[in-house]
Amino acid sequence: MKIDIAGSGRGIAESRQGMSFKRFCREEEVHDVEGIGIGLYLARGIITMQGGYTKMASTVGSGSTFSIFLPRGS
């Protein structure tokens, strides 16, 4: 099963996408925006515990799409 979640935020540069799933990771440009940088970290952990995985597609200035892949029956 695949679920896509798309957002229209600032987008994440390809060179920083791998770090986006680390705990407390925040882009320099959004430090004035509320948040602590734990959402993607927790989401990936929960998805992994269910036997799934995540992928990200993002373009700076155009937002991001996060794909969640779960095994059938989850």
Side-chain angles (χ1 to χ4, degrees):
M1 171 189 326
K2 177 185 175 191
I3 302 167
D4 286 333
I5 302 157
S8 59
R10 299 175 187 248
I12 302 168
E14 187 174 349
S15 62
R16 305 258 320 144
Q17 289 179 14
M19 295 190 63
S20 296
F21 289 94
K22 292 186 184 255
R23 187 170 49 169
F24 304 122
C25 178
R26 304 266 335 257
E27 290 288 320
E28 286 294 324
E29 297 84 11
V30 296
H31 278 287
D32 59 334
V33 178
E34 187 176 343
I36 60 172
I38 199 164
L40 290 175
Y41 170 79
L42 288 174
R44 185 173 72 171
I46 293 166
I47 292 162
T48 300
M49 288 171 48
Q50 296 299 314
Y53 62 96
T54 58
K55 286 188 175 183
M56 175 195 319
S58 187
T59 303
V60 175
S62 297
S64 304
T65 299
F66 298 89
S67 299
I68 299 169
F69 298 86
L70 294 169
R72 295 253 180 230
S74 291

